[in-house]
Amino acid sequence: MSYIAKPKVSHPKSPRNELGLTERDYEGAVSTLCAGCGHDSITAALIQAVFELSIEPHMLGKMSGIGCSSKTPAYFVSQSHGFNSVHGRMPSVTTGANAANNELTYIGVSGDGDSLSIGMGQFAHVIRRNLNMCYIIENNGVYGLTKGQYSASADVGSTAKKGPANRQMPIDPVSTAIGLGATYIARGFSGDKKQLVPLIKGAIAHKGFALLDVISPCVTFNDHQGSTKSYAHTREFYHHVIEADFVPPAKEIVAAYEEGAAMPVEMHDGSKIVFRKVDKAYDPTSRESAFSYLRSSVRAGEIVTGLLYIDQEAGDMHDLSGSVKRPLAKLPYTELNPGKATLAKVMNGYR
């Protein structure tokens, strides 16, 4: 329970990251969620991910809305910034925080109810803005905080503890995000920490909006026969699409070869792959041509290099809005305040 303080003692031989900190330094308060809740497993994965990435605790911003899921930020990295916003409004609050200080790493934790019902509009627009943040949905298909009503992600035919089976079509956050143009999309299972940690690390490292939908069974209201988000159902039908991993930065491999030419290059692990540099006639502005060219190179056993596709309209929120490079939070008041004369000039421009 929350009134039980965590002991501050750590083993002297505990592994330390680049900052000299241990995983204990990235923990938060004791969880008050139900014993066995999948959300606590996600918390453990978050702690491991930010520890391994050596993120300075004071450079982390933890954001949330309302619901069981939104209690998660209290349980990791207690020495960081945190904001528990109104129900479904975490994206706009995070947008404001990011606008004021883009040097922080932002992790938003939400739920299927918080994101896909009352917060659906904000969820869509934060993807459009391509806000630089890691957005985690702890998806259990139920409103656990209000005793087990169906949420917008409950599957057709799934049952609650009481009442008839759900008949409404679910909203899938992953396919929704694909359609809305998100630039990092992944799905995990709270019971598979080995896969979840690299997915979180990849989402944090990505510049732009990174969605991580995590199936997280509710042990109290949605872990029974007939639920499609129970532990038993998820473990029966769950399988990896790929073996996820996170590759940290390493020493740069340098090679020089001519445009249009192919050359084998030795990798860090000793393996060799063949690169082919695109030639001058290659058009990087066509998505269709780029896809076709990539497929043909795969069939040839080559990895093409060079600028393969570019959308000059894309960019994160700051790129799109033309923000100053320095965070607003660090600008002196004299630069933030234009003065009466400048303000009057701006206002006159609208008349």
Short mmCIF file of all heavy atoms in Angstrom, two decimals, residues 1-53:
data_model
loop_
_atom_site.label_atom_id
_atom_site.label_comp_id
_atom_site.label_asym_id
_atom_site.label_seq_id
_atom_site.Cartn_x
_atom_site.Cartn_y
_atom_site.Cartn_z
N MET A 1 0.85 -1.20 0.00
CA MET A 1 0.00 0.00 0.00
C MET A 1 0.88 1.25 0.00
O MET A 1 2.03 1.22 0.36
CB MET A 1 -0.92 -0.01 1.22
CG MET A 1 -1.83 -1.23 1.29
SD MET A 1 -2.96 -1.32 -0.14
CE MET A 1 -4.05 0.04 0.26
N SER A 2 0.30 2.38 -0.38
CA SER A 2 1.09 3.59 -0.57
C SER A 2 1.69 4.12 0.72
O SER A 2 2.65 4.88 0.69
CB SER A 2 0.23 4.66 -1.22
OG SER A 2 -0.89 4.94 -0.40
N TYR A 3 1.11 3.77 1.89
CA TYR A 3 1.66 4.30 3.13
C TYR A 3 2.91 3.54 3.57
O TYR A 3 3.56 3.90 4.54
CB TYR A 3 0.62 4.28 4.26
CG TYR A 3 0.02 2.93 4.53
CD1 TYR A 3 0.71 1.99 5.31
CD2 TYR A 3 -1.22 2.57 4.01
CE1 TYR A 3 0.17 0.75 5.56
CE2 TYR A 3 -1.76 1.33 4.26
CZ TYR A 3 -1.07 0.42 5.04
OH TYR A 3 -1.61 -0.82 5.28
N ILE A 4 3.25 2.47 2.85
CA ILE A 4 4.46 1.73 3.16
C ILE A 4 5.60 2.29 2.31
O ILE A 4 5.57 2.19 1.09
CB ILE A 4 4.28 0.23 2.87
CG1 ILE A 4 3.11 -0.33 3.69
CG2 ILE A 4 5.56 -0.53 3.16
CD1 ILE A 4 2.81 -1.78 3.39
N ALA A 5 6.58 2.91 2.97
CA ALA A 5 7.70 3.50 2.24
C ALA A 5 8.64 2.43 1.74
O ALA A 5 8.88 1.43 2.43
CB ALA A 5 8.43 4.48 3.14
N LYS A 6 9.17 2.62 0.53
CA LYS A 6 10.13 1.68 0.00
C LYS A 6 11.47 1.84 0.69
O LYS A 6 11.92 2.97 0.90
CB LYS A 6 10.33 1.91 -1.50
CG LYS A 6 9.36 1.17 -2.39
CD LYS A 6 9.79 1.27 -3.83
CE LYS A 6 8.85 0.45 -4.71
NZ LYS A 6 9.24 0.51 -6.13
N PRO A 7 12.13 0.76 1.06
CA PRO A 7 13.47 0.89 1.66
C PRO A 7 14.45 1.47 0.64
O PRO A 7 14.36 1.17 -0.55
CB PRO A 7 13.82 -0.55 2.03
CG PRO A 7 12.97 -1.40 1.17
CD PRO A 7 11.69 -0.64 0.95
N LYS A 8 15.35 2.32 1.09
CA LYS A 8 16.30 2.99 0.19
C LYS A 8 17.59 2.22 0.01
O LYS A 8 18.49 2.66 -0.69
CB LYS A 8 16.61 4.38 0.74
CG LYS A 8 15.40 5.30 0.84
CD LYS A 8 14.82 5.61 -0.53
CE LYS A 8 13.66 6.58 -0.40
NZ LYS A 8 13.03 6.86 -1.72
N VAL A 9 17.70 1.06 0.65
CA VAL A 9 18.94 0.30 0.61
C VAL A 9 19.07 -0.43 -0.73
O VAL A 9 18.11 -0.99 -1.24
CB VAL A 9 18.96 -0.73 1.76
CG1 VAL A 9 20.26 -1.55 1.71
CG2 VAL A 9 18.83 -0.03 3.10
N SER A 10 20.27 -0.38 -1.32
CA SER A 10 20.53 -1.14 -2.54
C SER A 10 21.85 -1.90 -2.37
O SER A 10 22.73 -1.48 -1.62
CB SER A 10 20.62 -0.21 -3.76
OG SER A 10 21.67 0.69 -3.61
N HIS A 11 21.98 -2.99 -3.08
CA HIS A 11 23.17 -3.83 -2.96
C HIS A 11 24.37 -3.08 -3.55
O HIS A 11 24.26 -2.49 -4.65
CB HIS A 11 22.96 -5.15 -3.70
CG HIS A 11 23.96 -6.20 -3.36
ND1 HIS A 11 25.23 -6.21 -3.87
CD2 HIS A 11 23.87 -7.27 -2.52
CE1 HIS A 11 25.89 -7.24 -3.40
NE2 HIS A 11 25.10 -7.90 -2.56
N PRO A 12 25.50 -3.08 -2.87
CA PRO A 12 26.67 -2.33 -3.39
C PRO A 12 27.16 -2.83 -4.73
O PRO A 12 27.86 -2.11 -5.45
CB PRO A 12 27.72 -2.52 -2.29
CG PRO A 12 27.27 -3.71 -1.51
CD PRO A 12 25.78 -3.69 -1.56
N LYS A 13 26.85 -4.08 -5.09
CA LYS A 13 27.29 -4.62 -6.36
C LYS A 13 26.21 -4.53 -7.45
O LYS A 13 26.34 -5.15 -8.51
CB LYS A 13 27.74 -6.06 -6.18
CG LYS A 13 28.98 -6.22 -5.31
CD LYS A 13 29.45 -7.67 -5.26
CE LYS A 13 30.72 -7.80 -4.41
NZ LYS A 13 31.19 -9.20 -4.34
N SER A 14 25.16 -3.76 -7.18
CA SER A 14 24.11 -3.62 -8.20
C SER A 14 24.69 -2.97 -9.45
O SER A 14 25.50 -2.04 -9.36
CB SER A 14 22.98 -2.73 -7.65
OG SER A 14 22.36 -3.33 -6.54
N PRO A 15 24.30 -3.43 -10.63
CA PRO A 15 24.79 -2.82 -11.88
C PRO A 15 24.46 -1.33 -11.92
O PRO A 15 23.40 -0.91 -11.46
CB PRO A 15 24.03 -3.60 -12.96
CG PRO A 15 23.64 -4.87 -12.32
CD PRO A 15 23.40 -4.57 -10.88
N ARG A 16 25.38 -0.56 -12.49
CA ARG A 16 25.19 0.88 -12.61
C ARG A 16 25.25 1.27 -14.08
O ARG A 16 25.99 0.68 -14.86
CB ARG A 16 26.24 1.64 -11.80
CG ARG A 16 26.11 1.40 -10.29
CD ARG A 16 27.12 2.17 -9.48
NE ARG A 16 26.96 1.89 -8.06
CZ ARG A 16 26.11 2.54 -7.26
NH1 ARG A 16 25.39 3.54 -7.77
NH2 ARG A 16 25.99 2.22 -5.99
N ASN A 17 24.49 2.31 -14.43
CA ASN A 17 24.49 2.78 -15.82
C ASN A 17 25.56 3.85 -16.01
O ASN A 17 26.39 4.08 -15.13
CB ASN A 17 23.10 3.27 -16.23
CG ASN A 17 22.64 4.47 -15.38
OD1 ASN A 17 23.44 5.11 -14.69
ND2 ASN A 17 21.36 4.77 -15.45
N GLU A 18 25.53 4.52 -17.15
CA GLU A 18 26.56 5.51 -17.48
C GLU A 18 26.57 6.67 -16.50
O GLU A 18 27.57 7.39 -16.38
CB GLU A 18 26.34 6.03 -18.90
CG GLU A 18 26.51 4.96 -19.98
CD GLU A 18 26.17 5.48 -21.37
OE1 GLU A 18 25.80 6.66 -21.48
OE2 GLU A 18 26.26 4.69 -22.32
N LEU A 19 25.48 6.90 -15.81
CA LEU A 19 25.40 8.00 -14.84
C LEU A 19 25.82 7.55 -13.45
O LEU A 19 25.82 8.35 -12.51
CB LEU A 19 23.96 8.55 -14.79
CG LEU A 19 23.41 9.09 -16.11
CD1 LEU A 19 21.94 9.46 -15.95
CD2 LEU A 19 24.21 10.30 -16.58
N GLY A 20 26.13 6.25 -13.30
CA GLY A 20 26.48 5.72 -11.98
C GLY A 20 25.27 5.39 -11.13
O GLY A 20 25.40 5.17 -9.92
N LEU A 21 24.08 5.34 -11.74
CA LEU A 21 22.85 5.06 -11.00
C LEU A 21 22.47 3.59 -11.14
O LEU A 21 22.82 2.93 -12.12
CB LEU A 21 21.71 5.95 -11.52
CG LEU A 21 21.95 7.47 -11.45
CD1 LEU A 21 20.77 8.22 -12.08
CD2 LEU A 21 22.14 7.91 -10.00
N THR A 22 21.71 3.09 -10.16
CA THR A 22 21.19 1.73 -10.22
C THR A 22 19.71 1.78 -10.58
O THR A 22 19.09 2.85 -10.61
CB THR A 22 21.36 1.02 -8.86
OG1 THR A 22 20.48 1.65 -7.91
CG2 THR A 22 22.80 1.11 -8.36
N GLU A 23 19.14 0.60 -10.84
CA GLU A 23 17.71 0.56 -11.15
C GLU A 23 16.88 1.09 -9.99
O GLU A 23 15.80 1.65 -10.20
CB GLU A 23 17.28 -0.88 -11.49
CG GLU A 23 17.53 -1.27 -12.93
CD GLU A 23 16.72 -2.49 -13.36
OE1 GLU A 23 15.64 -2.74 -12.78
OE2 GLU A 23 17.16 -3.17 -14.29
N ARG A 24 17.38 0.92 -8.76
CA ARG A 24 16.64 1.42 -7.60
C ARG A 24 16.44 2.93 -7.67
O ARG A 24 15.46 3.46 -7.16
CB ARG A 24 17.37 1.05 -6.29
CG ARG A 24 17.51 -0.43 -6.03
CD ARG A 24 16.15 -1.12 -5.92
NE ARG A 24 15.28 -0.47 -4.96
CZ ARG A 24 15.25 -0.75 -3.66
NH1 ARG A 24 16.04 -1.68 -3.18
NH2 ARG A 24 14.42 -0.13 -2.86
N ASP A 25 17.41 3.62 -8.30
CA ASP A 25 17.30 5.07 -8.43
C ASP A 25 16.19 5.49 -9.40
O ASP A 25 15.85 6.67 -9.46
CB ASP A 25 18.63 5.66 -8.90
CG ASP A 25 19.75 5.43 -7.88
OD1 ASP A 25 19.53 5.73 -6.70
OD2 ASP A 25 20.82 4.94 -8.27
N TYR A 26 15.65 4.53 -10.16
CA TYR A 26 14.60 4.84 -11.13
C TYR A 26 13.23 4.33 -10.67
O TYR A 26 12.27 4.35 -11.42
CB TYR A 26 14.94 4.24 -12.49
CG TYR A 26 16.10 4.94 -13.18
CD1 TYR A 26 17.41 4.59 -12.89
CD2 TYR A 26 15.87 5.99 -14.07
CE1 TYR A 26 18.48 5.24 -13.51
CE2 TYR A 26 16.93 6.64 -14.69
CZ TYR A 26 18.23 6.26 -14.39
OH TYR A 26 19.28 6.93 -14.99
N GLU A 27 13.16 3.89 -9.44
CA GLU A 27 11.87 3.43 -8.92
C GLU A 27 11.06 4.59 -8.39
O GLU A 27 11.56 5.70 -8.20
CB GLU A 27 12.11 2.39 -7.81
CG GLU A 27 12.74 1.09 -8.32
CD GLU A 27 12.94 0.09 -7.20
OE1 GLU A 27 12.81 0.48 -6.03
OE2 GLU A 27 13.24 -1.08 -7.51
N GLY A 28 9.77 4.32 -8.13
CA GLY A 28 8.89 5.34 -7.57
C GLY A 28 8.22 4.83 -6.32
O GLY A 28 8.80 4.03 -5.57
N ALA A 29 6.98 5.26 -6.11
CA ALA A 29 6.24 4.85 -4.92
C ALA A 29 5.78 3.40 -5.05
O ALA A 29 5.76 2.82 -6.14
CB ALA A 29 5.04 5.77 -4.72
N VAL A 30 5.37 2.83 -3.92
CA VAL A 30 4.83 1.47 -3.92
C VAL A 30 3.46 1.48 -4.61
O VAL A 30 2.64 2.36 -4.35
CB VAL A 30 4.70 0.94 -2.48
CG1 VAL A 30 4.02 -0.43 -2.47
CG2 VAL A 30 6.06 0.86 -1.81
N SER A 31 3.22 0.54 -5.50
CA SER A 31 1.97 0.50 -6.25
C SER A 31 0.77 0.22 -5.35
O SER A 31 0.84 -0.58 -4.42
CB SER A 31 2.06 -0.58 -7.33
OG SER A 31 0.81 -0.74 -7.97
N THR A 32 -0.34 0.90 -5.66
CA THR A 32 -1.60 0.63 -4.95
C THR A 32 -2.58 -0.09 -5.86
O THR A 32 -3.75 -0.22 -5.53
CB THR A 32 -2.23 1.95 -4.48
OG1 THR A 32 -2.46 2.80 -5.62
CG2 THR A 32 -1.34 2.67 -3.49
N LEU A 33 -2.10 -0.55 -7.02
CA LEU A 33 -2.96 -1.29 -7.93
C LEU A 33 -3.19 -2.71 -7.40
O LEU A 33 -2.48 -3.17 -6.51
CB LEU A 33 -2.33 -1.34 -9.33
CG LEU A 33 -2.16 0.02 -10.03
CD1 LEU A 33 -1.34 -0.13 -11.30
CD2 LEU A 33 -3.53 0.62 -10.35
N CYS A 34 -4.18 -3.40 -7.95
CA CYS A 34 -4.49 -4.76 -7.50
C CYS A 34 -3.27 -5.68 -7.70
O CYS A 34 -2.54 -5.55 -8.69
CB CYS A 34 -5.66 -5.33 -8.30
SG CYS A 34 -7.15 -4.30 -8.26
N ALA A 35 -3.08 -6.58 -6.79
CA ALA A 35 -1.97 -7.53 -6.91
C ALA A 35 -2.11 -8.33 -8.21
O ALA A 35 -3.17 -8.89 -8.49
CB ALA A 35 -1.97 -8.47 -5.71
N GLY A 36 -1.05 -8.35 -8.99
CA GLY A 36 -1.08 -9.08 -10.26
C GLY A 36 -1.48 -8.24 -11.45
O GLY A 36 -1.55 -8.76 -12.57
N CYS A 37 -1.73 -6.95 -11.24
CA CYS A 37 -2.15 -6.06 -12.34
C CYS A 37 -1.04 -5.99 -13.39
O CYS A 37 0.14 -5.81 -13.07
CB CYS A 37 -2.44 -4.67 -11.80
SG CYS A 37 -2.91 -3.48 -13.08
N GLY A 38 -1.44 -6.10 -14.66
CA GLY A 38 -0.46 -6.01 -15.74
C GLY A 38 0.24 -4.67 -15.79
O GLY A 38 1.37 -4.56 -16.27
N HIS A 39 -0.42 -3.63 -15.30
CA HIS A 39 0.19 -2.29 -15.34
C HIS A 39 1.49 -2.26 -14.54
O HIS A 39 2.43 -1.52 -14.88
CB HIS A 39 -0.78 -1.24 -14.77
CG HIS A 39 -2.05 -1.07 -15.56
ND1 HIS A 39 -2.34 -1.80 -16.68
CD2 HIS A 39 -3.11 -0.23 -15.36
CE1 HIS A 39 -3.51 -1.44 -17.16
NE2 HIS A 39 -4.00 -0.48 -16.38
N ASP A 40 1.55 -3.03 -13.45
CA ASP A 40 2.78 -3.04 -12.65
C ASP A 40 3.92 -3.71 -13.40
O ASP A 40 5.10 -3.35 -13.20
CB ASP A 40 2.53 -3.77 -11.32
CG ASP A 40 1.73 -2.91 -10.34
OD1 ASP A 40 1.77 -1.67 -10.47
OD2 ASP A 40 1.08 -3.49 -9.46
N SER A 41 3.60 -4.65 -14.25
CA SER A 41 4.65 -5.27 -15.08
C SER A 41 5.19 -4.26 -16.09
O SER A 41 6.39 -4.24 -16.39
CB SER A 41 4.07 -6.49 -15.82
OG SER A 41 3.61 -7.46 -14.91
N ILE A 42 4.30 -3.41 -16.60
CA ILE A 42 4.74 -2.35 -17.52
C ILE A 42 5.63 -1.36 -16.78
O ILE A 42 6.63 -0.88 -17.31
CB ILE A 42 3.52 -1.64 -18.14
CG1 ILE A 42 2.68 -2.64 -18.95
CG2 ILE A 42 3.95 -0.47 -19.02
CD1 ILE A 42 1.36 -2.09 -19.44
N THR A 43 5.28 -1.06 -15.54
CA THR A 43 6.12 -0.18 -14.73
C THR A 43 7.53 -0.75 -14.60
O THR A 43 8.53 -0.03 -14.73
CB THR A 43 5.51 0.00 -13.33
OG1 THR A 43 4.23 0.62 -13.45
CG2 THR A 43 6.40 0.88 -12.46
N ALA A 44 7.62 -2.04 -14.34
CA ALA A 44 8.94 -2.68 -14.21
C ALA A 44 9.73 -2.56 -15.51
O ALA A 44 10.95 -2.33 -15.49
CB ALA A 44 8.76 -4.15 -13.82
N ALA A 45 9.05 -2.71 -16.63
CA ALA A 45 9.72 -2.58 -17.93
C ALA A 45 10.17 -1.14 -18.16
O ALA A 45 11.26 -0.89 -18.70
CB ALA A 45 8.79 -3.03 -19.05
N LEU A 46 9.35 -0.17 -17.76
CA LEU A 46 9.72 1.24 -17.90
C LEU A 46 10.97 1.56 -17.08
O LEU A 46 11.87 2.27 -17.54
CB LEU A 46 8.55 2.12 -17.44
CG LEU A 46 7.46 2.41 -18.48
CD1 LEU A 46 6.20 2.94 -17.81
CD2 LEU A 46 7.97 3.40 -19.51
N ILE A 47 11.01 1.05 -15.85
CA ILE A 47 12.16 1.30 -14.99
C ILE A 47 13.43 0.75 -15.63
O ILE A 47 14.47 1.43 -15.68
CB ILE A 47 11.93 0.66 -13.60
CG1 ILE A 47 10.84 1.43 -12.85
CG2 ILE A 47 13.22 0.64 -12.79
CD1 ILE A 47 10.40 0.78 -11.56
N GLN A 48 13.36 -0.46 -16.15
CA GLN A 48 14.53 -1.05 -16.79
C GLN A 48 14.94 -0.26 -18.03
O GLN A 48 16.14 -0.04 -18.27
CB GLN A 48 14.26 -2.51 -17.16
CG GLN A 48 15.47 -3.20 -17.78
CD GLN A 48 15.21 -4.68 -18.09
OE1 GLN A 48 14.34 -5.31 -17.49
NE2 GLN A 48 15.97 -5.22 -19.04
N ALA A 49 13.96 0.18 -18.80
CA ALA A 49 14.26 0.90 -20.05
C ALA A 49 14.96 2.23 -19.79
O ALA A 49 15.99 2.53 -20.39
CB ALA A 49 12.97 1.12 -20.84
N VAL A 50 14.41 3.04 -18.89
CA VAL A 50 15.03 4.36 -18.65
C VAL A 50 16.37 4.21 -17.92
O VAL A 50 17.27 5.03 -18.09
CB VAL A 50 14.08 5.29 -17.86
CG1 VAL A 50 12.86 5.63 -18.70
CG2 VAL A 50 13.65 4.68 -16.54
N PHE A 51 16.51 3.14 -17.12
CA PHE A 51 17.80 2.87 -16.48
C PHE A 51 18.85 2.55 -17.53
O PHE A 51 19.96 3.10 -17.53
CB PHE A 51 17.66 1.72 -15.49
CG PHE A 51 18.97 1.08 -15.10
CD1 PHE A 51 19.84 1.72 -14.24
CD2 PHE A 51 19.33 -0.17 -15.60
CE1 PHE A 51 21.07 1.14 -13.89
CE2 PHE A 51 20.53 -0.75 -15.26
CZ PHE A 51 21.41 -0.10 -14.39
N GLU A 52 18.51 1.66 -18.45
CA GLU A 52 19.48 1.24 -19.47
C GLU A 52 19.79 2.37 -20.45
O GLU A 52 20.87 2.40 -21.04
CB GLU A 52 18.95 0.01 -20.20
CG GLU A 52 18.89 -1.23 -19.30
CD GLU A 52 18.36 -2.46 -20.02
OE1 GLU A 52 17.96 -2.34 -21.19
OE2 GLU A 52 18.36 -3.55 -19.41
N LEU A 53 18.85 3.28 -20.65
CA LEU A 53 19.11 4.42 -21.53
C LEU A 53 19.87 5.54 -20.81
O LEU A 53 20.23 6.54 -21.44
CB LEU A 53 17.78 4.98 -22.07
CG LEU A 53 17.05 4.12 -23.11
CD1 LEU A 53 15.69 4.71 -23.42
CD2 LEU A 53 17.88 3.99 -24.38
#
